[in-house]
């Protein structure tokens, strides 16, 4: 290991580390204005651990990214555990090698990064940091991995670069995110272009030649414009749902719903739009209990699954349900060619399409369906056999308002505590007196009496005096309207 070289940087001694011999026990103080601070020593390290008194670099092993330290000669003096794992060799073998040989880096054009950028030749005081950059790293076995590199130069006493601290980060996930964003932009642009072109064409034609078209032609054009507008609205709604699902902020407006009725409504609408009305069959063996769910979202789930079965499947599409103790399982099945096993694990991801499949739709339907089902506390999965069709299953938990966190036992206990101990009459009366504009008193009273233990019909009387001609006398005296229940 090379000797210590003084640099203008703050030493990073570990807390509780024994002091080296000859080091002063007096704590260091910041220099006064105009004074030049004493140059500290360059940190040194080894293969994941340093000898006593030189453990300044051992803290780098706690970093979440592969990190290496290179001296002014271009040799690696420290390599943390993650860096050794990334390079595919033990840290002891990596330390001491030349950085350009131990970690060969090339840019997108195939140029060697070490010879092109020459990171050790830069002025550390003018350019202390090397900006983030995506490079390809050749690792053991000849494989290449995309990494994101950032580096910092440490200045020595002579002002030159004494050490170069390099941090690497695997860029596969970032590349996937960038590809997803690009796919989103491409999909949205494609899906918006078709309906907007149609809307623009029909409206321009109608404005220019309105008098030349018959009423039936105008109605047909306007109906097409309306359908395209609905298509754009549906696309924007899907994008909003995706953003809310990703952020975990999907809002549900739950209430007790009859799911079979929702299924019948969806299948009826689908059957009206297809040439084969008998292709969709909904069958429920036994009674399906009402579920505490968002009816609009559940309708969206069935719409997505049935449309998917009709678009990619063949034969009859069936919808069924199976009631379990804690959940109700719904199934949408078709009789198509099926889904290959290698694709089943990806069909609920965003923008997934089978290889060679023609671009149709946004590719977000099944992803949104999965997010809605999971937001309700259920789960969704798919089963398929080649040549025997596909089956999409999802579950919704059974129960009522207790799923919203309402404690019915506590409500019953509270109602019991508020009940009078004698169990006799319970009477609530409210009277409000208001001054009439004429200076006279106007009284509005409402009294409700519940049946007493001795018997008697419950009477609900409401009296509201107001000046109105009496039906019997025809005068404007105060009249009373009474209603008995």
């Amino acid at each position: 290991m090379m000797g210590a070289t003084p640099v203008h940087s703050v030493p990073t001694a570990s807390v509780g580390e024994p002091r080296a011999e000859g080091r002063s026990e007096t704590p260091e103080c910041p220099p006064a204005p105009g004074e030049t601070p004493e140059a500290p020593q360059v940190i040194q390290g080894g293969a994941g651990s340093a000898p006593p008194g030189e453990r300044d670099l051992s803290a780098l092993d706690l970093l979440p990214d592969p990190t290496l330290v290179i001296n002014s000669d271009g040799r690696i003096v420290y390599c943390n555990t993650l860096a050794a794992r990334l390079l595919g060799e033990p840290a002891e073998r990596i330390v001491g090698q030349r950085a350009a040989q131990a970690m060969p880096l090339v840019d997108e054009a195939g140029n060697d990064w070490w010879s092109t950028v020459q990171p050790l030749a830069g002025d550390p005081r003018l350019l202390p940091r090397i900006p983030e950059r995506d490079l390809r790293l050749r690792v053991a076995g000849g494989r290449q991995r995309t990494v994101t590199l950032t580096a910092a130069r440490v200045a020595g006493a002579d002002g030159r670069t004494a050490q170069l601290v390099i941090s690497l980060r695997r860029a596969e996930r970032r590349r996937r995110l960038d590809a997803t964003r690009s796919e989103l932009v491409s999909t949205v642009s494609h899906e918006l272009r078709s309906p907007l072109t149609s809307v623009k064409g029909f409206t321009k034609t109608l404005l220019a030649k309105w008098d030349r078209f018959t009423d039936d032609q105008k109605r047909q054009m306007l109906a097409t414009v309306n359908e395209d507008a609905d298509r754009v609205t549906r696309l924007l709604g899907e994008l909003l749902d995706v953003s809310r699902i990703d952020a975990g902020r999907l809002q549900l407006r739950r209430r007790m719903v009859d799911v079979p009725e929702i299924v019948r409504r969806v299948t009826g609408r689908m059957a009206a739009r297809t040439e084969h009305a008998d292709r969709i069959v909904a069958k429920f063996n036994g009674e399906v209990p009402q579920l505490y769910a968002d009816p609009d979202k559940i309708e969206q789930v069935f719409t997505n699954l049935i449309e998917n079965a009709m678009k990619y499947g063949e034969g009859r599409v069936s919808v069924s349900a199976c009631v379990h103790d804690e959940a109700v399982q719904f199934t949408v099945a078709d009789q198509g060619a099926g889904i290959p096993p290698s694709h089943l694990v990806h069909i609920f991801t965003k923008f997934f399409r089978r290889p060679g499949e023609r671009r149709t739709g946004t590719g977000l339907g099944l992803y949104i369906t999965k997010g809605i089902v999971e937001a309700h506390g259920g789960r969704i999965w798919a089963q398929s056999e080649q040549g025997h069709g596909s089956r999409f299953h999802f579950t919704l938990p059974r129960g009522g308002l207790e799923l919203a966190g309402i404690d019915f036992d506590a409500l019953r206990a509270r109602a019991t505590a508020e009940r009078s101990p004698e169990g006799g009459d319970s009477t609530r009366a409210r009277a409000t007196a208001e001054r009439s504009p004429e200076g006279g008193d106007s009284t509005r009273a409402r009294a409700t009496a519940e049946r007493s233990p001795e018997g008697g019909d419950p009477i609900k009387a409401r009296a509201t005096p107001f000046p109105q001609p009496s039906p019997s006398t025809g005068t404007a005296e105060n009249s009373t309207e009474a209603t008995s229940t």
Side-chain angles (χ1 to χ4, degrees), residues 307-361:
E307 283 185 347
N308 185 78
M310 295 180 65
K311 183 185 299 183
Y312 300 104
E314 298 175 0
R316 180 170 295 181
V317 177
S318 62
V319 184
S320 59
C322 182
V323 180
H324 300 283
D325 293 338
E326 297 182 354
V328 179
Q329 176 179 321
F330 298 93
T331 302
V332 178
D334 61 65
Q335 300 174 351
I339 303 174
S342 59
H343 296 164
L344 281 177
V345 295
H346 303 293
I347 57 176
F348 292 106
T349 58
K350 287 185 286 189
F351 311 115
F352 174 76
R353 289 185 176 86
R354 304 177 190 180
E357 179 185 338
R358 185 174 61 90
R359 180 191 293 268
T360 56

Side-chain angles (χ1 to χ4, degrees), residues 371-429:
I372 293 175
V373 172
E374 292 179 348
H376 280 83
R379 67 187 189 94
I380 186 171
W381 69 98
Q383 295 177 337
S384 182
E385 297 180 10
Q386 292 290 335
H388 294 82
S390 304
R391 296 176 301 279
F392 287 82
H393 310 276
F394 72 94
T395 60
L396 293 177
R398 295 185 61 177
L401 297 178
E402 65 271 10
L403 296 177
I406 299 177
D407 190 349
F408 286 98
D409 294 335
L411 291 178
R412 294 190 186 97
R414 180 178 178 182
T416 303
E418 291 180 352
R419 187 180 303 166
S420 60
E422 294 81 6
D425 296 341
S426 174
T427 304
R428 181 182 304 169

Side-chain angles (χ1 to χ4, degrees), residues 130-134 148-151 169 174:
I130 298 177
E132 185 177 280
R133 187 172 182 181
D134 289 342
T148 301
L149 178 144
T150 56
R169 180 172 298 175
R174 180 176 176 180

Side-chain angles (χ1 to χ4, degrees), residues 285-298:
N285 298 326
E287 183 179 356
V288 178
Q290 287 192 343
L291 303 177
Y292 187 61
D294 186 329
D296 295 334
K297 298 299 183 184
I298 297 303

Side-chain angles (χ1 to χ4, degrees), residues 149-164:
L149 178 144
T150 56
R153 299 182 177 96
V154 180
D158 56 355
R160 298 182 178 180
T161 301
Q163 287 180 336
L164 181 69

